[in-house]
Amino acid sequence: MAFNNGVPATGTGLIASFGEMLIDFVPTVSGVSLAEAPGFLKAPGGAPANVAIAVARLGGKAAFVGKLGDDEFGHMLAGILKENGVRADGITFDQGARTALAFVTLRADGEREFMFYRNPSADMLLQPEELNLELIRSAKVFHYGSISLIVEPCRSAHLKAMEVAKEAGCLLSYDPNLRLPLWPSADEARKQILSIWEKADLIKISDVELEFLTGSDKIDDASALSLWHPNLKLLLVTLGEHGSRYYTKNFKGSVDAFHVKTIDTTGAGDSFVGALLSKIVDDQSILEDESRLRDVLKFANACGAITTTQKGAIPALPKEEDALKLIKGA
């Protein structure tokens, strides 16, 4: 293992990321409503796809598993995955449905609001029998969100993929990535997000998701630990500019954020997750060693911070040396 500032080398095991990939249409001007935006730039996105590219950009091995429309946008997205070194043999194309689109409003503070075009989009139509099970079984880590739980048949495909990954001994990594406008109701979102909670080995939530899932406005250890389950190896709560908190069976703590000039928060959480997974994929004992875990989380925080310094998720995802430079300079 090569170490750099305590950061272990990126692993060689495969990280398979399951779910949606779509195109975000981002206004050319920040701080205006969708109606007022003079124009939009197309930005490839979708949290699971961002995580896969984040891993590959750090020199890790990643695959994306999901469905795209058999349209220009779908083929463009598959091309972007391949250009970024992500395996695309887990992708299927739907002849009948379009690739999902989202119009994003960038508020003046860099936070986002969404308007989705998915009725239904190709990602929602992935069927269990279309899964590349061989690819999933060959992964060391299987990562997913909750958007793929919203409707059938994708929900069944998601549950099947998780089951196959678990049987093959993969580490199951879950970032619910709450997008309330996509769910029929807040109650349904909470119920479904928690329906697969106890299957995950590693869970990452944001402070906003913590409040949503617990129904409490307190972002403290007691609130986070109310979401703990006995099979969990690591629970992470990301706190934006306040860094992140970590909880394991034997220890808990927090890691400070890096202060940068934030332009667009899109993809910061995905960058954080990709960085973490790329560093533990070959050596999961890091999850039980607090000092090594802290070094990895510091690295993940650096990757998340760098991702906020330019518009769009994928172009902003850092290389290893960018993150190490930020850590050294802090």
Side-chain angles (χ1 to χ4, degrees), residues 108-124:
D109 62 0
E111 287 297 337
R112 301 151 299 157
E113 287 161 3
F114 296 88
M115 182 168 83
F116 292 92
Y117 282 69
R118 298 171 86 229
N119 57 332
S121 54
D123 58 287
M124 299 156 74

Side-chain angles (χ1 to χ4, degrees), residues 205-211 214-228 235-239 244-247 252-254:
I205 50 174
S206 68
D207 43 6
V208 175
E209 289 159 347
L210 176 63
E211 290 179 316
T214 59
S216 159
D217 57 1
K218 286 194 174 63
I219 297 167
D220 56 15
D221 290 349
S223 184
L225 286 167
S226 72
L227 293 173
W228 183 262
L235 173 65
L236 293 160
V237 181
T238 54
L239 307 161
S244 52
R245 289 192 188 152
Y246 58 88
Y247 304 88
K252 61 178 195 286
S254 62

